Amino acid sequence: MQEFVYHNPDGLDFPLSESIFVTKDIEETKDAKFLISNSTEVDSEVSADEIDFYIKNTKDPISKKIQNVHKLYEIAAVKFDNAQDITYTQKIGNKLLLIANDDDSKEFISKTNSNEFDMYRISEEIIKSISGHIGNLTVIVDDDGKDVTLKVDQIVWFDIKELGLRQSGGFDPKESSIDEVLSVLRKNAKEYEYKKFTTYDANICQYHERREEVCGRCEEVCPTTAIVKIDEKKHLEFSQIDCHGCGGCISICPSGALDYAPINRNSIYEMAKEFRGNIPLILPEKMNISQLNIALKENVLPFKIDGEKFLHETSFLTILQESGSQVIFYTDFLSKGSTDAIRILNDIYQKKYGKKAIYVAMNEDELSQALEEVDLIDGSTFSYNQEDERKREAFAVRLSSLVGKDDLGVVKTGENVHYAKVNINQDTCTLCLSCVGACNVDALKAYPENNTLRLNPSICTGCGYCELSCPEKDCLTIEQDIIELNPQWFLERVVAQDELFACIECGKEFATKKAVEKIANIMSPIFANDPIKQKTLYCCENCKPKVMFANDAVRNQRV
């Protein structure tokens, strides 16, 4: 299989790399299977319309244009190779619910074939609830005061309300047309395809199996029922068939437990490496660039992505540092996580370089303005192999390189992206290590070899679970929503330390001095009239019963 093909009936006025099959005649592509093409007319795994967008609009000289076209093919191949968005299929039936007024109903029904759908028609006023997903939808309606259950496969709802958008299977002809909706309905009735858009690591999830809820942001931002919290078990349940693939849950996930299957963190890194010395113009799939006529100044290359909401601080900083450039993000919507991430990185870059990191362009005028201002940033390039790194660790390494030996002050994080600093009072900390057990991202660690508790604030998510788990009063507090831009922020620091207490009977070290003293102070008044029990407070688990039994034996002999 030849990997790359370029088809244009009008041809090109410059040559392409020999690795790209160039043709004016679509028939020449019919007997071949390609990996990457520039056109949907060619049978290929991926159609990369950013290639024609670049060719049409770039101001790069011919020599660089030849190199960059080949690079865009390679980048598209990297994205394809790293994608984890598995495609699934599901059979669905022909039961259709039509929610419309009389005029819309007549027009819709007139365009359907006889017996094509088993159709119900209702008005939206009687709908009480909708649940399930495409192929298995349950609609509860009010029929003169009685609840009636309708089981349908798909829903056509003119001027659809949010109730019909929370699950898959609802379609609004007013957003497109009756003909387009019918085409989708017919295709779905044969075989419905959907993708896996998210991957999940429960081990670092800040909601999974915790005694108290300290996170659940992914469910809060999900526009559908694709993510549901099961509060009894503190588990997340995922319905990939209901997922729109927007990625909003990814950018807001504090630990990186969620990742975007079509373009995961590894894929972003591998793609970003190809942009060294170029200015990335991030273009979500939903932005129509085929009709966009805008001058791309030299060195600007399109960075095509699938969803628009999944980019977070780590992915943005990866693109910034691998390219060594400012970045433009052309989108008509910003997710909560991406909004905070962009603001944080812009604050950091202003402190370090006196320049903005990311330009957000939400229309063509803003894009034109951003393209005039954006440029490479001397000294901002940094590359390291972050493959399979967690989100916070990768960000910490990259940010540490940016800060270097400087002290750039403090940046505030935000309402949706949280970083934090754990403060521990050594005087009250007994090194019980409840906080270490509570921290599932390894920001807090215990070192038994020298009886220390250490903190790496750069990977702390600020979830607060350590504070909830600490049994001591006035011991552990959290300073929320800060990043200190100095070298110490990225180093493990000792936040508590103690000596071990040796058993007064056998000499075995079995607990910290503070822990033993704390228990002794509590229990000594209770054991005030029993010196033997007082003595056991300073004994290890093996010697406690021996001391007690020895004392009982002496008492029995006296009796």
Side-chain angles (χ1 to χ4, degrees), residues 165-166 195-198 217-227 240 242-252 258-263 284-286 305-312 329 331-338:
L165 297 172
R166 291 286 294 167
K195 285 187 175 184
K196 176 183 178 181
F197 282 106
T198 56
R217 299 186 186 101
C218 55
E219 190 217 36
E220 293 168 8
V221 301
C222 182
T224 71
T225 56
I227 304 176
Q240 298 290 347
D242 290 310
C243 181
H244 290 172
C246 69
C249 58
I250 312 297
S251 60
I252 209 166
L258 287 170
D259 204 358
Y260 194 58
I263 309 179
E285 185 68 42
K286 73 170 196 170
I305 59 175
D306 289 25
E308 74 277 10
K309 301 180 184 178
F310 72 96
L311 294 172
H312 46 71
F329 188 18
T331 180
D332 60 1
F333 183 85
L334 281 178
S335 68
K336 291 180 178 180
S338 294

Side-chain angles (χ1 to χ4, degrees), residues 483-502:
I483 299 176
E484 294 179 358
L485 300 175
N486 60 64
Q488 288 71 39
W489 179 259
F490 306 96
L491 302 175
E492 274 192 354
R493 63 187 71 174
V494 174
V495 289
Q497 186 170 15
D498 198 3
E499 297 178 9
L500 290 180
F501 185 87

Side-chain angles (χ1 to χ4, degrees), residues 36 75 108 115 124 132 210 224 232 268 288 297 302 320 322 339 376 402 466 509 514 523 538:
I36 311 293
I75 292 168
F108 181 83
N115 299 322
E124 66 180 41
R210 296 198 149 176
T224 71
E232 298 79 19
I268 287 287
N288 183 7
K297 70 179 183 182
L320 285 161
E322 292 295 335
T339 298
L376 301 170
L402 185 152
C466 57
E509 294 178 332
K514 287 179 183 175
M523 300 303 296
Y538 302 95

Side-chain angles (χ1 to χ4, degrees), residues 25-127:
D25 186 359
I26 191 67
E27 293 299 321
E28 293 183 345
T29 70
K30 295 300 184 183
D31 296 327
K33 179 70 174 177
F34 298 95
L35 181 63
I36 311 293
S37 72
N38 66 306
S39 170
T40 55
E41 295 180 30
V42 178
D43 184 13
S44 61
E45 295 291 341
V46 176
S47 296
D49 62 348
E50 64 268 28
I51 294 168
D52 278 330
F53 171 73
Y54 169 77
I55 290 173
K56 181 177 70 172
N57 295 290
T58 186
K59 298 301 180 183
D60 282 333
I62 292 294
S63 59
K64 185 172 284 188
K65 192 184 295 188
I66 295 169
Q67 295 174 2
N68 283 341
V69 169
H70 182 262
K71 181 171 289 194
L72 290 173
Y73 276 96
E74 292 287 355
I75 292 168
V78 166
K79 183 170 71 171
F80 175 80
D81 290 341
N82 284 277
Q84 298 176 326
D85 53 340
I86 303 167
T87 299
Y88 300 94
T89 59
Q90 176 169 318
K91 296 282 187 180
I92 65 174
N94 71 336
K95 291 183 178 180
L96 181 67
L97 180 63
L98 176 60
I99 306 171
N101 60 34
D102 289 341
D103 291 339
D104 289 333
S105 293
K106 288 177 183 178
E107 185 180 1
F108 181 83
I109 293 171
S110 70
K111 294 191 175 186
T112 62
N113 301 322
S114 177
N115 299 322
E116 183 176 12
F117 297 105
D118 183 3
M119 193 182 309
Y120 306 87
R121 185 218 156 182
I122 63 172
S123 61
E124 66 180 41
E125 290 79 14
I126 68 171
I127 301 173

Side-chain angles (χ1 to χ4, degrees), residues 14 110 229 291 381 410 480:
F14 65 94
S110 70
K229 293 186 298 185
Q291 303 302 316
T381 302
V410 175
Q480 286 284 3

